[in-house]
Amino acid sequence: MSWHGLRIEQVEQQVNTKIGFGLTEKEAKRRLKQFGKNELSEEKKPSALKQFFSQFQDFMVLVLLAATAISAVLGEYIDVVAIVAIVIINAFLGFIQERRAEKSLEALKKLSAPESLVLRDGEWGKVPSAQLVVGDIVKFASGDRIGADVRIIEAKGLYIEESSLTGESLPVEKQTAPLIEDVSLGDRTNMAFMGTLVTKGSGVGIVVATGMHTAMGQIAHLIQSAPTMTTPLQRKLEQLGKILIVIALALTALVVVLGVWQGHAVYDMFLAGVSLAVAAIPEGLPAIVTVVLALGVQRMMKRNAIVRKLPAVETLGCASVICSDKTGTMTENQMTVTHVWVNNRLWTVSGTGYEPKGTFLYNGKQEKVDAALQQILLFGALCNHADIKKKGKTYMIDGDPTEGALVVAAAKAGWTKEKIAAEFTIEHEFPFDSTRKMMTVIVKDRANRRFIVTKGAPDMLLERCRFIYIEGQAKLMRDQERKLVQQTVNTLASQALRTIAIAYRPLSLTETMNDETKAESDLTFIGLQGMIDPPRKEVKQAIAECKKAGIKTVMITGDHVLTAKAIAQQLHMMPPNGKVMDGKTLATLSVDELEDVVEDVYVFARVSPEHKLKIVQALQKRGHIVAMTGDGVNDAPAIKTANIGIAMGVTGTDVSKEAASLVLLDDNFATIKAAIEEGRNIYENIRKFIRYLLASNVGEILVMLFAMILALPLPLVPIQILWVNLVTDGLPAMALGLDPAEENVMKRPPRHPKEGVFARGLGWKIISRGFLIGMVTLIAFLVVHTRHPENLTYAQTVAFATLVLAQLIHVFDCRSERSVFDRNPFENMYLVLAVLSSLVLLLVVIYYPPLQPIFHTVSLPLTDWLLIIGLSSIPTFLLAGSLFTRRRS
């Protein structure tokens, strides 16, 4: 039902109520029973046990569990314990993340008003807002939170702050007249919505929607129904797991068939096949990915970004579009006077937000505040109810943001509230109302001089002015001066400034003013103050850097088109052919139709929550990885649907924070750029350790496979392979995850979301290095086994040591896509320490007698280490040398 389009009597009839009497208690209880409580319903959550066991459904985890079962059948119990420990740790990490994630609706519920003033059986009384029903008559005043969606039937200077719902920074003036039916949520000025806050005045309304049928309820439904996107990395790792299991099964079958054909026992060959399968699967990969993402989370926290969902860290790296809310994200969310026109001079006012410090410039130069400028600033603060409050180091406004901007501007010229109160007395006030669009006060100063001060909308105030202060004196206002004022208003409006006009009139000591019409006549027009919610200083630079990195920034706001476009231009967001689209146009387009034009649009203004969702979906259909930032309730569904949802930590509502994957502690758009840089580096580091792990595994596979083909004994036993996969590979792989970013990380375009893990030559690097690692390990085994055919354990120990050392040297090659010589190995001390730790552990396994029977090792003489070190260096330096030469030539 389009309640805003109906007359009051039609609404009364539709909901079957009486405006002067309300519902009866009996009827209210009947409706409550029939339609349910005025609460946001929540989908049933899975039990903790079910959520925990769901962690074992991941493909890689299932592969590991299958390997565990086979190892248990073969009696390899050490393998079983090691794999099960990894799987359980990984499951707990995922479980903890998920249990914290979905609290969006709990946060939405906090926005509901606890009680509402309701008319029932002809009497006003308070009831819990959860018991409101359609047809209830409710009353609300300044400071109240609206308990349900209400059609306003009475408004007295009523202003409601709706920024959390619509994204508009200023409180909305409310009225009672019916509207055209297709206006957007932000333009429904005869409606009050659940969860919004009354900032001024009072009103009465008829409840027309409760619970999930309210505008807030529709957002709750959008949050519940919004699909959860899998990240590119999750998809790639799933594909990788499937590839590895196919390779593992194929190799197992090949080895069994080859061995039996060569005359080996079936059991021995099955054991060898399982060893190969274990070698093919990097058991530590899921755990290392999780740990590296968690370490990335810690680094991001130091850069003022809190990650709520681990996979989001990596997704940031391929973000190609940032959809950002304007209010509070790109702008300060603090109305600020930036221009003052008085005595035919246009002054520029500097200063940040509500801090009462700034300078006044004329023609770009700082000048002393003259008498005319002093007067208009003083009068703006006199005809005013707002005040500046300081909490810690932060300045806030107590009162209306527009009035607050005038108070701050006056304070910058030295007119504090305390000084004004000491020098002036307010004798009478004619409050602002929506018909007159102005407010007037009668003031007396310490010298007993009396005068009227009026502030209001320029078009309305001009009609009440007979004189104008210009060229240093009050002159009769002619058409020429009226045109000059209107021209100045238009100039300021073109810069998206909201203008407030100020006028005054002297009064004699005996003159009385009981009538506002009489008081607001024959005034002298002083000038205009132009204000805006200004852009954050650091945002322009952040947008420019994102542009260099191939990331498009799109503004999505509930604010007016003119304001949004002006802010976008100030931030240099829009190219010459960039387009602006309003909510009305957007509403007529389907997602598919929007998909055709969305690439050219840089600003979406006057949009609703459903529109934001549509924009994100259209961009995703174009193949973009979308980061959606915001701070309001209205942003939550789009934040959840986006590939990466980013909420503001300071001004953001709990709803937006709970729906988001990333929360910015400083509400700074520039922090997003830092987070993207971190995300890109984390993905590159994940590629590095996948390269390292798989090259190592290829080496293990090939050494076993070639031994089978050549009818040799097994160069490695299963426990040695598992040791390499979990211990030798694990520590350096984690250290690779902490590798500092390369210089060009933010100077290249985002990677394509469909880019494979093995893109950019990674597959060749894995196979070539893995082949060489396998060859040198097999050569080491053959050399020792040929010399000592009677001592298989000795040859296996040398092969084991060669494999481990070759991998520990190779890890430094994985730090760069070009060459091992391209980066200083001591840039990453974590890696140096990890390699040394793995080396020490290798020596312990080889030389510590109690561990020798478990790991099938023997102590090695020093001469063998010369062979091991020489062979181990070949895989890294043979290919790296040619790359080094080619890169420098």
Side-chain angles (χ1 to χ4, degrees):
M1 181 71 72
S2 299
W3 298 105
H4 57 277
L6 302 180
R7 298 190 309 277
I8 292 170
E9 55 270 24
Q10 289 177 307
V11 177
E12 182 183 27
Q13 191 177 355
Q14 285 284 345
V15 299
N16 195 16
T17 191
K18 293 178 182 175
I19 287 174
F21 185 79
L23 298 174
T24 62
E25 279 291 346
K26 186 179 178 183
E27 175 61 15
K29 284 178 182 174
R30 188 192 70 77
R31 292 187 186 189
L32 188 66
K33 190 175 180 181
Q34 183 180 354
F35 299 108
K37 284 190 174 183
N38 176 33
E39 292 177 336
L40 303 179
S41 62
E42 197 168 348
E43 287 183 346
K44 192 178 178 184
K45 290 182 180 177
S47 67
L49 200 62
K50 188 176 179 182
Q51 210 163 4
F52 177 73
F53 282 112
S54 72
Q55 306 300 316
F56 298 96
Q57 294 171 3
D58 180 78
F59 192 80
M60 280 290 282
V61 173
L62 292 174
V63 169
L64 289 177
L65 290 174
T68 308
I70 295 168
S71 298
V73 169
L74 298 175
E76 300 291 336
Y77 298 116
I78 294 173
D79 298 12
V80 172
V81 171
I83 298 172
V84 166
I86 285 170
V87 169
I88 290 174
I89 289 167
N90 209 42
F92 268 111
L93 283 168
F95 170 73
I96 291 164
Q97 284 293 324
E98 280 188 23
R99 290 301 286 182
R100 287 172 52 203
E102 294 301 326
K103 294 180 182 174
S104 308
L105 292 176
E106 291 172 25
L108 269 177
K109 285 178 179 178
K110 289 178 187 173
L111 285 178
S112 302
E115 288 187 322
S116 295
L117 190 59
V118 184
L119 180 66
R120 287 184 182 168
D121 290 319
E123 293 184 5
W124 290 100
K126 286 195 171 181
V127 301
S129 293
Q131 292 179 16
L132 289 178
V133 295
V134 172
D136 266 329
I137 310 296
V138 291
K139 188 185 283 186
F140 34 84
S142 182
D144 290 343
R145 201 169 280 282
I146 305 295
D149 280 7
V150 171
R151 170 64 163 89
I152 298 166
I153 59 174
E154 186 182 306
K156 293 178 180 175
L158 179 63
Y159 281 76
I160 298 180
E161 197 269 304
E162 299 177 341
S163 64
S164 65
L165 194 65
T166 65
E168 187 169 350
S169 50
L170 290 171
V172 179
E173 183 186 354
K174 296 295 182 178
Q175 49 89 34
T176 59
L179 305 165
I180 55 171
E181 291 196 8
D182 61 347
V183 293
S184 65
L185 201 69
D187 291 320
R188 293 177 191 174
T189 53
N190 59 7
M191 297 287 293
F193 300 104
M194 182 187 198
T196 58
L197 187 69
V198 180
T199 60
K200 192 193 289 186
S202 62
V204 178
I206 303 173
V207 173
V208 293
T210 60
M212 293 300 285
H213 298 288
T214 61
M216 195 73 77
Q218 287 166 20
I219 290 174
H221 174 71
L222 288 172
I223 292 172
Q224 287 178 349
S225 58
T228 304
M229 302 296 294
T230 57
T231 74
L233 181 65
Q234 286 173 321
R235 295 194 288 272
K236 299 297 181 297
L237 290 179
E238 193 172 334
Q239 291 165 11
L240 179 61
K242 289 174 181 175
I243 291 166
L244 291 175
I245 191 65
V246 169
I247 292 170
L249 292 172
L251 285 171
T252 304
L254 178 63
V255 168
V256 172
V257 171
L258 268 176
V260 172
W261 181 61
Q262 289 175 349
H264 293 286
V266 174
Y267 175 81
D268 290 341
M269 286 303 95
F270 186 65
L271 182 60
V274 170
S275 299
L276 262 181
V278 170
I281 300 165
E283 288 87 349
L285 185 60
I288 292 167
V289 169
T290 305
V291 170
V292 167
L293 290 175
L295 291 170
V297 166
Q298 296 303 312
R299 282 207 305 277
M300 283 196 177
M301 199 177 291
K302 290 175 184 174
R303 300 182 81 167
N304 288 321
I306 291 180
V307 177
R308 296 191 63 259
K309 297 170 187 176
L310 278 183
V313 177
E314 172 271 333
T315 316
L316 272 168
C318 54
S320 55
V321 175
I322 300 174
C323 291
S324 175
D325 192 41
K326 176 185 73 69
T327 306
T329 309
M330 291 183 161
T331 64
E332 301 276 2
N333 199 17
Q334 296 180 339
M335 289 301 289
T336 307
V337 171
T338 58
H339 291 77
V340 180
W341 183 80
V342 62
N343 197 19
N344 202 16
R345 298 178 89 186
L346 185 61
W347 294 78
T348 306
V349 188
S350 72
T352 306
Y354 293 143
E355 186 175 1
K357 291 180 183 176
T359 54
F360 296 85
L361 299 97
Y362 180 65
N363 286 336
K365 294 178 182 177
Q366 186 175 340
E367 286 199 18
K368 188 180 177 183
V369 178
D370 64 22
L373 183 56
Q374 284 276 6
Q375 190 178 42
I376 191 172
L377 294 171
L378 167 63
F379 285 174
L382 269 172
C383 190
N384 204 308
H385 288 297
D387 196 5
I388 307 169
K389 302 284 185 187
K390 191 176 182 184
K391 190 176 181 182
K393 293 182 179 179
T394 306
Y395 289 91
M396 296 179 296
I397 288 298
D398 181 11
D400 181 81
T402 300
E403 291 196 334
L406 298 174
V407 170
V408 172
K412 288 174 182 177
W415 288 110
T416 62
K417 273 285 183 180
E418 292 76 19
K419 185 178 177 183
I420 291 169
E423 295 196 23
F424 299 92
T425 306
I426 306 293
E427 292 186 342
H428 190 71
E429 177 187 326
F430 299 105
F432 180 94
D433 73 42
S434 54
T435 307
R436 290 162 39 242
K437 291 190 177 177
M438 61 187 77
M439 169 188 176
T440 297
V441 289
I442 298 174
V443 182
K444 184 167 73 173
D445 66 12
R446 289 168 75 180
N448 283 330
R449 288 175 300 190
R450 298 173 71 232
F451 47 93
I452 294 168
V453 178
T454 303
K455 79 170 195 296
D459 55 336
M460 300 296 280
L461 194 55
L462 262 176
E463 293 176 10
R464 309 292 182 96
C465 292
R466 189 177 170 199
F467 305 95
I468 182 168
Y469 186 85
I470 200 161
E471 295 172 7
Q473 57 184 321
K475 291 183 175 182
L476 191 68
M477 188 182 281
R478 300 164 298 174
D479 288 344
Q480 182 182 337
E481 283 79 24
R482 290 184 188 277
K483 283 178 183 176
L484 178 63
V485 172
Q486 194 55 57
Q487 187 181 334
T488 307
V489 169
N490 294 340
T491 301
L492 296 175
S494 69
Q495 299 172 47
L497 295 176
R498 185 181 186 195
T499 50
I500 299 292
I502 293 171
Y504 85 109
R505 173 155 66 93
L507 275 182
S508 68
L509 284 173
T510 56
E511 205 172 350
T512 56
M513 286 288 165
N514 297 321
D515 176 47
E516 61 201 31
T517 306
K518 187 179 176 185
E520 294 166 351
S521 61
D522 292 334
L523 299 170
T524 299
F525 189 92
I526 300 173
L528 303 161
Q529 294 198 47
M531 62 188 69
I532 195 170
D533 179 10
R536 290 174 174 271
K537 289 183 292 185
E538 62 282 344
V539 170
K540 186 193 281 190
Q541 178 67 21
I543 288 172
E545 290 183 22
C546 285
K547 199 173 182 179
K548 278 184 192 172
I551 301 163
K552 176 186 177 184
T553 305
V554 177
M555 181 191 290
I556 304 178
T557 178
D559 223 331
H560 294 279
V561 173
L562 192 65
T563 308
K565 187 176 180 180
I567 295 290
Q569 287 170 339
Q570 287 179 42
L571 293 171
H572 295 174
M573 272 178 59
M574 295 175 65
N577 62 338
K579 293 180 181 175
V580 179
M581 184 179 287
D582 64 14
K584 202 169 180 180
T585 307
L586 189 56
T588 64
L589 302 177
S590 66
V591 173
D592 290 337
E593 288 169 332
L594 180 58
E595 187 190 341
D596 295 333
V597 297
V598 74
E599 294 283 9
D600 298 323
V601 182
Y602 286 77
V603 176
F604 292 92
R606 222 68 185 132
V607 296
S608 70
E610 295 85 353
H611 294 153
K612 294 187 178 194
L613 204 54
K614 190 189 284 187
I615 294 161
V616 170
Q617 289 168 339
L619 285 164
Q620 285 172 336
K621 288 188 83 173
R622 292 285 297 183
H624 286 290
I625 298 295
V626 182
M628 170 70 191
T629 77
D631 58 358
V633 176
N634 60 326
D635 299 319
I639 281 174
K640 189 181 176 190
T641 304
N643 304 84
I644 170 81
I646 306 171
M648 302 297 119
V650 179
T651 58
T653 58
D654 287 347
V655 184
S656 62
K657 289 176 196 173
E658 293 297 342
S661 311
L662 189 77
V663 178
L664 305 183
L665 286 178
D666 55 1
D667 283 14
N668 192 335
F669 188 92
T671 304
I672 300 168
K673 187 229 99 182
I676 287 174
E677 184 177 352
E678 197 68 60
R680 286 188 175 193
N681 187 44
I682 286 168
Y683 180 76
E684 289 306 313
N685 288 350
I686 287 171
R687 269 174 53 93
K688 288 173 191 176
F689 68 66
I690 286 176
R691 169 184 169 182
Y692 171 63
L693 290 175
L694 294 190
S696 302
N697 286 25
V698 166
E700 293 160 27
I701 291 165
L702 292 179
V703 73
M704 299 291 282
L705 184 60
F706 288 146
M708 292 292 102
I709 293 170
L710 297 171
L712 295 169
L714 292 179
L716 300 164
V717 295
I719 189 65
Q720 289 173 344
I721 293 172
L722 198 69
W723 171 270
V724 172
N725 281 4
L726 298 182
V727 181
T728 304
D729 292 353
L731 286 173
M734 282 187 197
L736 275 177
L738 294 170
D739 214 28
E742 294 189 63
E743 289 176 6
N744 65 342
V745 74
M746 282 301 282
K747 293 176 183 173
R748 55 185 184 225
R751 73 178 190 278
H752 196 278
K754 291 184 180 176
E755 177 185 291
V757 176
F758 302 113
R760 290 181 268 150
L762 189 66
W764 162 248
K765 289 187 180 82
I766 289 168
I767 292 166
S768 61
R769 304 308 194 277
F771 177 81
L772 288 174
I773 289 169
M775 287 303 95
V776 296
T777 304
L778 189 61
I779 290 166
F781 175 75
L782 280 169
V783 168
V784 177
H785 187 255
T786 304
R787 288 205 315 246
H788 305 280
E790 76 293 344
N791 194 345
L792 179 60
T793 307
Y794 180 25
Q796 286 174 334
T797 305
V798 171
F800 176 47
T802 305
L803 177 68
V804 170
L805 203 60
Q807 291 180 7
L808 293 180
I809 295 170
H810 169 244
V811 75
F812 291 101
D813 190 26
C814 296
R815 292 187 63 227
S816 171
E817 290 194 350
R818 294 181 290 269
S819 164
V820 70
F821 301 110
D822 196 57
R823 303 189 72 187
N824 180 355
F826 296 101
E827 278 179 344
N828 187 347
M829 286 307 297
Y830 296 108
L831 183 59
V832 173
L833 292 171
V835 167
L836 290 174
S837 301
S838 295
L839 196 56
V840 169
L841 289 169
L842 171 67
L843 296 175
V844 169
V845 167
I846 291 174
Y847 290 103
Y848 185 52
L851 293 178
Q852 287 176 335
I854 297 172
F855 289 95
H856 302 274
T857 56
V858 294
S859 298
L860 299 176
L862 188 61
T863 50
D864 284 336
W865 281 104
L866 296 173
L867 172 72
I868 291 165
I869 292 167
L871 288 171
S872 300
S873 304
I874 291 170
T876 296
F877 294 106
L878 182 69
L879 291 177
S882 63
L883 282 171
F884 174 75
T885 307
R886 188 164 70 243
R887 186 170 177 269
R888 296 295 186 272
S889 59

